[in-house]
Amino acid sequence: MASVDPTRPPVLLLHFTNKATTPILEFVGQQLVSSGIIVLHSEVRPSDNGTFETCLALTADQSTFETEADKLAVIKETVEGITDRFSVAERTNFVGIDEPNFFTSSEYAQLLMERLDSIHTKDVSETLTQLGIDHDSTNNASLRQTLADSDILDVVCPIHNVVERDNIMWKCLMPSWSNPLKEIQMYYGEEVGLYFFWVGRMTDWLCVPALGGIVLYFARMYNGDTIDDCELTPYYGLFMFLWAVCFTRCYQRDEVRTAFRWGTYQQKLIYDHQQVRSEFHGISRTSPITGQPERYFPRIKRVPLYCFSILVTGVMLIIAFFFMIAFLNLEGYIHPSHNRNRWPLDLDHPFHIDVLAQLARPGEIFDPNTNFAFIPVILHIGVIKILNTIYSKIATWLTDVENHKTEDNYQNSLIIKRFLFEAFDAYVGLFYLACFERDIQKLREELVMIFLVDTFRRIFLETILPQALQYIQGKLQQRKLAASDDTTINPPQLSHLSPHSRENLEITTNLFEEVMLEEYDTFDDYLEILIEFGYVTLFASAYPLAAYIAAMANVIELRSDSIKL
């Protein structure tokens, strides 16, 4: 068994469902140990019908981490004062090579995940069959993916260092304009670090248009102008256009500079990101380029899959458009009487739904002059959120069906689908009012209500609601455990555990509590900020105060995101 520093905290957590029998856990433990992964600790809790769930805490020795760092081309600082690709053969040339924190927390997790994914099913196909684990014997998939597909393994995640995590959170919550980007990058990784960098840099840049919007607002009040006859409004719109161009160009430069400083830019250039995804399936053949065996999926077979994705996405866009029309009718924005020159009769308007539009007439429940006028807007925002959630699952499924070979192609396809749908869902109503109804007054009213309601919705869903749900989930889990105290189970006695007891390890968190934590993905947060950026820039003339509100919302967003982490 490989040696391990008993003071090193565990790095990765594996959570097995109650389908993982003792023979399966023993088999997994044997595969982990044979690949150089060390099982530091296990926790078991009762499940249904006398079964059990199991968590394993994993780490590895330093030589294993260094080997994976060599493969992944991790960039580290050398004794010459420059950064270079890490090499096991030249390990003594790197600063702090013998220190326990030579690799950052995020690097330890990434390296161990790479070693875990290097365990394939090709050589253990017969054993998997004996254990009753479904798998494709012709596809040399990773053992992790095979267990996940069989609903045996459902969570693989890094294990928090509570002290380090809380230290970063409290630094983010401090009344300061900046964030501890370096600490975030070292602990959570470059992806999360760059997200915080993006939001922070955008917030900094929003200060100028926010100040300009406030000045324009008070100038209109002082002169008694409306936004339609204010002479300064067009200049502010032009300024926001130039601001958006300058911001995007400068951010691209700053992002590359930051990535270079963190070592991510060099690693991307060196490391082969065209690795085959473990989920990719295809026929086995000899590569005509390298002469090596490879999995191959003909491009001609993927064309119908792309067409299917376009068809499903088109149907979802039509559904989103229908809901937009319905809610604009409820808000009283679609009515032929507003322009009888274009629509002499009510039936002439192609999108007028009289049953819904009647509810927004004077004296009715959604009369714009009553306190209930916000209800259709709130419902509209809720439907947009629901549709986005539904389509995010559909988009993931469609992208899985497309069977992309590399992770880059997979992510690019998913990003295109998600962004196009959510941007359409957010902006289609505004463009409809501007281009089809040709009513700037309605556009401004709808923009103000949607932007404000969506901003407060985002703050509520990302600050108050997650904490409440996590508290409720914890209470329900405690009741479940209390109810199962008398349940008799036969927990597995794993023979591949490290000889170090839990008391001698720096395990400062309960493994099952880690499993209950919600997975954090920057993808949705990126999209929300990007949609916000569109509101601020595309419709700046209609609502100059949007930049100020967006800047304040971003400050809250960064702090709420630090709590979610």
Side-chain angles (χ1 to χ4, degrees):
M1 181 178 295
S3 62
V4 61
D5 181 359
T7 64
R8 171 174 292 166
V11 177
L12 283 185
L13 179 151
L14 304 184
H15 175 250
F16 295 88
T17 67
N18 57 5
K19 291 184 178 182
T21 61
T22 300
I24 291 178
L25 292 173
E26 280 289 345
F27 163 72
V28 172
Q30 180 182 5
Q31 296 302 309
L32 293 174
V33 171
S34 63
S35 66
I37 298 177
I38 299 169
V39 183
L40 281 177
H41 173 66
S42 69
E43 288 184 9
V44 179
R45 72 178 180 189
S47 186
D48 301 326
N49 302 322
T51 59
F52 51 83
E53 300 175 31
T54 306
C55 282
L56 300 181
L58 308 181
T59 188
D61 57 22
Q62 186 65 18
S63 63
T64 300
F65 286 117
E66 291 181 9
T67 301
E68 292 299 320
D70 195 333
K71 294 179 182 177
L72 290 179
V74 173
I75 304 299
K76 306 300 289 185
E77 183 181 358
T78 66
V79 293
E80 289 85 4
I82 61 174
T83 57
D84 196 6
R85 168 181 174 171
F86 178 79
S87 171
V88 174
E90 301 176 358
R91 63 186 303 274
T92 56
N93 292 337
F94 293 88
V95 177
I97 183 62
D98 294 322
E99 297 294 328
N101 59 347
F102 174 70
F103 297 112
T104 65
S105 297
S106 62
E107 288 173 342
Y108 275 121
Q110 180 187 15
L111 297 175
L112 192 57
M113 181 66 79
E114 289 291 330
R115 176 54 66 96
L116 181 64
D117 283 340
S118 68
I119 306 175
H120 291 94
T121 59
K122 182 178 181 180
D123 299 328
V124 293
S125 178
E126 183 176 347
T127 305
L128 292 174
T129 302
Q130 294 173 355
L131 293 172
I133 300 176
D134 293 333
H135 68 289
D136 184 0
S137 59
T138 63
N139 187 9
N140 190 24
S142 70
L143 179 62
R144 177 184 66 84
Q145 187 61 43
T146 300
L147 295 175
D149 292 341
S150 301
D151 198 26
I152 295 174
L153 177 68
D154 67 342
V155 175
V156 180
C157 65
I159 297 179
H160 274 299
N161 183 312
V162 178
V163 176
E164 192 172 355
R165 179 195 63 188
D166 290 349
N167 182 49
I168 294 174
M169 182 185 71
W170 286 114
K171 284 185 178 181
C172 290
L173 294 177
M174 292 293 290
S176 172
W177 194 260
S178 60
N179 289 287
L181 286 177
K182 186 60 178 177
E183 290 90 334
I184 293 174
Q185 177 263 330
M186 293 176 64
Y187 185 72
Y188 292 105
E190 288 76 14
E191 183 179 352
V192 176
L194 286 175
Y195 164 74
F196 273 78
F197 176 73
W198 147 256
V199 179
R201 187 51 54 91
M202 178 179 169
T203 305
D204 293 341
W205 273 71
L206 278 173
C207 291
V208 175
L211 180 61
I214 294 174
V215 171
L216 178 60
Y217 176 78
F218 283 105
R220 288 206 331 264
M221 291 182 59
Y222 178 79
N223 295 327
D225 297 333
T226 65
I227 196 170
D228 296 311
D229 54 25
C230 178
E231 297 180 352
L232 298 177
T233 300
Y235 294 103
Y236 182 76
L238 176 62
F239 164 75
M240 286 302 300
F241 169 76
L242 298 175
W243 173 89
V245 173
C246 293
F247 166 69
T248 53
R249 296 298 297 171
C250 291
Y251 174 75
Q252 290 175 355
R253 179 196 63 189
D254 293 342
E255 181 189 31
V256 171
R257 180 184 298 164
T258 301
F260 187 87
R261 187 170 63 249
W262 289 350
T264 308
Y265 186 76
Q266 302 100 307
Q267 185 177 355
K268 185 174 182 179
L269 293 178
I270 298 173
Y271 178 59
D272 182 15
H273 276 269
Q274 300 302 313
Q275 283 188 320
V276 178
R277 297 172 60 241
S278 58
E279 299 87 349
F280 174 71
H281 59 84
I283 61 176
S284 298
R285 72 165 191 177
T286 301
S287 172
I289 299 176
T290 63
Q292 300 296 320
E294 67 171 5
R295 278 175 282 164
Y296 175 70
F297 189 77
R299 182 174 299 179
I300 191 65
K301 290 186 177 181
R302 189 173 284 116
V303 173
L305 302 179
Y306 283 144
C307 294
F308 178 69
S309 295
I310 294 173
L311 177 62
V312 174
T313 301
V315 172
M316 289 297 298
L317 291 176
I318 292 174
I319 294 174
F321 183 81
F322 170 79
F323 276 108
M324 180 273 297
I325 292 296
F327 282 110
L328 288 184
N329 274 277
L330 276 178
E331 295 174 56
Y333 289 150
I334 299 179
H335 202 286
S337 62
H338 297 160
N339 192 340
R340 286 302 182 186
N341 293 327
R342 295 179 64 190
W343 303 294
L345 301 176
D346 288 357
L347 295 178
D348 294 335
H349 198 301
F351 302 116
H352 175 64
I353 306 175
D354 190 61
V355 175
L356 300 177
Q358 287 180 358
L359 299 177
R361 290 175 180 173
E364 299 295 335
I365 185 173
F366 297 138
D367 182 349
N369 297 318
T370 66
N371 295 328
F372 297 103
F374 269 97
I375 293 180
V377 180
I378 296 175
L379 293 176
H380 191 188
I381 294 296
V383 169
I384 289 176
K385 181 64 177 178
I386 292 173
L387 288 176
N388 289 344
T389 302
I390 294 174
Y391 184 74
S392 68
K393 300 181 184 301
I394 294 176
T396 302
W397 174 70
L398 291 174
T399 311
D400 289 338
V401 169
E402 290 169 359
N403 190 32
H404 293 281
K405 184 174 183 178
T406 65
E407 188 66 27
D408 283 349
N409 292 339
Y410 180 89
Q411 291 296 334
N412 290 337
S413 180
L414 181 61
I415 289 171
I416 290 174
K417 294 184 185 70
R418 291 283 307 276
F419 174 73
L420 288 180
F421 181 84
E422 297 199 18
F424 177 89
D425 209 7
Y427 303 141
V428 64
L430 301 176
F431 280 108
Y432 170 84
L433 292 174
C435 302
F436 189 82
E437 293 289 335
R438 305 171 192 171
D439 194 323
I440 300 301
Q441 178 66 26
K442 295 177 184 177
L443 168 64
R444 183 165 60 251
E445 293 174 359
E446 179 72 359
L447 171 64
V448 171
M449 287 193 292
I450 284 186
F451 182 70
L452 290 178
V453 171
D454 187 56
T455 299
F456 287 111
R457 185 273 313 168
R458 200 175 78 217
I459 293 173
F460 172 77
L461 291 181
E462 298 190 6
T463 54
I464 302 174
L465 188 61
Q467 298 302 312
L469 291 178
Q470 186 172 339
Y471 175 79
I472 295 173
Q473 187 179 13
K475 289 296 183 181
L476 292 176
Q477 188 62 38
Q478 289 177 3
R479 291 183 180 180
K480 180 180 178 180
L481 292 177
S484 60
D485 281 344
D486 297 331
T487 304
T488 302
I489 64 170
N490 296 313
Q493 302 297 323
L494 301 180
S495 60
H496 300 287
L497 284 173
S498 167
H500 301 287
S501 66
R502 178 182 174 92
E503 290 74 16
N504 293 331
L505 299 171
E506 290 187 7
I507 304 178
T508 58
T509 182
N510 183 284
L511 298 184
F512 283 102
E513 290 180 358
E514 293 278 338
V515 173
M516 293 169 59
L517 294 178
E518 183 180 357
E519 181 182 1
Y520 178 71
D521 186 4
T522 59
F523 193 92
D524 290 330
D525 287 336
Y526 264 118
L527 272 181
E528 287 183 345
I529 299 300
L530 196 57
I531 297 297
E532 175 194 81
F533 179 76
Y535 281 130
V536 172
T537 55
L538 295 176
F539 308 100
S541 297
Y543 190 40
L545 287 179
Y548 170 75
I549 296 175
M552 294 300 100
N554 286 355
V555 173
I556 299 175
E557 174 90 12
L558 287 173
R559 281 148 181 78
S560 65
D561 286 342
S562 68
I563 297 175
K564 285 196 302 183
L565 291 172

